[in-house]
Amino acid sequence: LESKINGAANYSYQMFFSAEEGVYYHKNLVQDSKTPANVQVSPLGTETIYIADGDVFIYDNYNFEVLLKDKIKLKLKEDPVVNIINNGDGSSYFILTKNGHLYKANTVKKDVEIVKLITTKHISLMAWNSNKNLFVAAYKNEVFFYDPIKQEETAGAVLDQNIHSLFVNSKDFEIVLGLENGELRVLNQSFNETIVSKRLSATPITAVLVDPLDHYIYAGDTQGRLYTYDRLKKIIYLDREIHDGAVTLNGIYQPSRGKKYLITTGNDNYYKVFNTSRLEPNYLRIVNLETTKIRENFVKIRINESKESYENRVTTENIRKILEATRSAVTDSLAKTKSEIKPELSLN
């Protein structure tokens, strides 16, 4: 891009980038700005909220036009925005500033309503947790929940290192953290159990992201390096320098096509898209998926099948045999595929 990129937000292939001099949709400038901009895409991809020079905009992603603009100038010259998140369904957005001030943005009657929220603890990082309808917040070495309705902090934990990045893995009820000492740490949702603790870098981890399908966690550091951590083998699968500075991470996942991509930025003028679809999958997941499909199809009543015929066919022993045969066939097929294809993380 024509300006240094400081972050990204996307819904599938709709990619917006916040830069030092504006907001971009792919390579096209959407909004210029004299100060670093910030952007967040709605969960359904229909709209985007972005902040430029203290103004809050709601942008129509289909007609490529500004729908709403706030009439209240946020006083962000001395206290710039560092993060924008949504509440999971896109009805509200939360805006966090460098000094820890928290705002809620609602679209009301063709206007943007900005409300300042009460916080008793300083916040420097935040991410929405759809399991609890709260967001996970962090400051220095403390991580905790914040309730935007009650406007209060709830249970949390104090770590031995400052937190530089966080990601909520709602699917597995986990909180993923990047720490100042270069460590990747995964906690359970109650903050009382450490699931993963792995030193990846000698510098702070500025971004963490969980693979939507398989057993990988992606992380970036302040030196522009990208790490791919394999949770099954408990090793750093890949490690490469991709940017000039602090890395940010976003993902694209298309379940129907089995396609996965990683979007990276890092204090330079480039965004990069990596194809993660060809990384070595979790073979047990695939075997279980295929055997489940076969079992569900086998136990269905067939057209014109009598009750007696069904009971003779669908027995415990027959189910066991067909599942064993399926598991063996799928395992053999995967073994052949594994020997023929070299897994890789490729730059698109």
Side-chain angles (χ1 to χ4, degrees):
L1 305 184
E2 296 180 0
S3 177
K4 277 191 176 182
I5 306 169
N6 56 37
N10 72 292
Y11 175 80
S12 189
Y13 294 100
Q14 295 178 337
M15 294 187 288
F16 287 81
F17 298 94
S18 51
E20 290 187 355
E21 297 177 0
V23 176
Y24 289 80
Y25 177 74
H26 291 266
K27 295 181 180 181
N28 301 312
L29 182 65
V30 172
Q31 180 71 45
D32 60 356
S33 176
K34 296 177 182 177
T35 57
N38 296 84
V39 63
Q40 181 59 256
V41 181
S42 71
L44 298 178
T46 56
E47 65 183 26
T48 294
I49 181 173
Y50 60 83
I51 297 176
D53 291 332
D55 285 328
V56 181
F57 299 84
I58 302 294
Y59 186 80
D60 186 329
N61 291 351
Y62 294 127
N63 295 314
F64 300 100
E65 63 182 9
V66 173
L67 292 176
L68 304 171
K69 178 180 176 181
D70 82 309
K71 298 176 182 178
I72 306 172
K73 273 273 188 179
L74 293 178
K75 301 188 182 300
L76 301 175
K77 189 173 182 179
E78 296 80 19
D79 188 18
V81 171
V82 294
N83 197 6
I84 306 172
I85 65 171
N86 62 66
N87 65 343
D89 62 11
S91 59
S92 297
Y93 295 90
F94 301 98
I95 302 165
L96 180 66
T97 69
K98 185 176 181 180
N99 292 337
H101 294 136
L102 185 63
Y103 300 88
K104 182 180 180 181
N106 298 316
T107 56
V108 181
K109 295 181 179 179
K110 298 184 179 181
D111 195 5
V112 183
E113 179 185 67
I114 306 294
V115 179
K116 192 174 189 300
L117 299 182
I118 298 170
T119 57
T120 58
K121 292 184 178 182
H122 198 98
I123 297 175
S124 59
L125 298 167
M126 61 182 185
W128 187 255
N129 186 317
S130 58
N131 296 325
K132 289 182 171 286
N133 283 327
L134 305 172
F135 57 72
V136 180
Y139 179 64
K140 292 187 176 179
N141 65 336
E142 186 176 7
V143 58
F144 50 90
F145 284 112
Y146 178 82
D147 187 332
I149 297 176
K150 296 181 179 179
Q151 298 189 45
E152 63 181 20
E153 295 84 0
T154 60
V158 177
L159 309 184
D160 57 344
Q161 291 286 325
N162 287 344
I163 302 164
H164 282 246
S165 55
L166 72 85
F167 177 83
V168 176
N169 180 15
S170 297
K171 177 170 63 75
D172 297 317
F173 303 95
E174 295 175 340
I175 309 299
V176 184
L177 304 171
L179 304 184
E180 188 169 45
N181 65 345
E183 179 188 341
L184 168 69
R185 191 174 298 182
V186 180
L187 305 177
N188 68 348
Q189 197 169 252
S190 299
F191 304 124
N192 58 11
E193 180 185 351
T194 299
I195 300 169
V196 174
S197 177
K198 178 69 176 180
R199 183 82 177 272
L200 302 180
S201 171
T203 65
I205 299 297
T206 57
V208 283
L209 185 70
V210 172
D211 189 284
L213 190 61
D214 284 308
H215 52 285
Y216 297 101
I217 300 177
Y218 309 104
D221 67 12
T222 57
Q223 301 301 306
R225 298 197 71 84
L226 172 65
Y227 302 87
T228 304
Y229 178 71
D230 185 324
R231 297 185 64 165
L232 294 182
K233 298 177 181 178
K234 299 180 180 180
I235 60 171
I236 300 173
Y237 186 76
L238 291 168
D239 167 13
R240 64 172 70 174
E241 185 175 341
I242 57 170
H243 288 289
D244 292 345
V247 173
T248 72
L249 299 173
N250 290 74
I252 298 173
Y253 176 41
Q254 291 186 304
S256 60
R257 298 178 59 194
K259 296 294 184 180
K260 303 178 297 177
Y261 300 93
L262 191 64
I263 308 166
T264 70
T265 69
N267 197 36
D268 52 30
N269 292 51
Y270 301 93
Y271 69 86
K272 298 182 179 181
V273 180
F274 292 88
N275 186 346
T276 61
S277 308
R278 286 173 62 88
L279 287 176
E280 188 173 12
N282 182 340
Y283 293 111
L284 180 60
R285 173 186 61 78
I286 297 175
V287 171
N288 289 339
L289 180 64
E290 293 303 316
T291 53
T292 298
K293 288 179 181 178
I294 293 296
R295 186 186 188 285
E296 289 177 349
N297 188 58
F298 182 73
V299 299
K300 288 180 180 178
I301 298 177
R302 297 173 180 173
I303 297 174
N304 298 324
E305 185 176 30
S306 67
K307 180 180 178 181
E308 183 181 357
S309 297
Y310 178 82
E311 290 177 349
N312 289 333
R313 180 176 63 84
V314 184
T315 64
T316 302
E317 180 63 17
N318 285 344
I319 291 175
R320 184 188 64 79
K321 287 180 179 179
I322 196 169
L323 291 184
E324 282 185 357
T326 301
R327 187 174 294 274
S328 177
V330 173
T331 301
D332 290 344
S333 176
L334 290 173
K336 182 180 179 182
T337 302
K338 184 177 179 180
S339 64
E340 293 176 350
I341 299 177
K342 181 182 178 182
E344 61 178 350
L345 176 69
S346 56
L347 181 65
N348 250 38

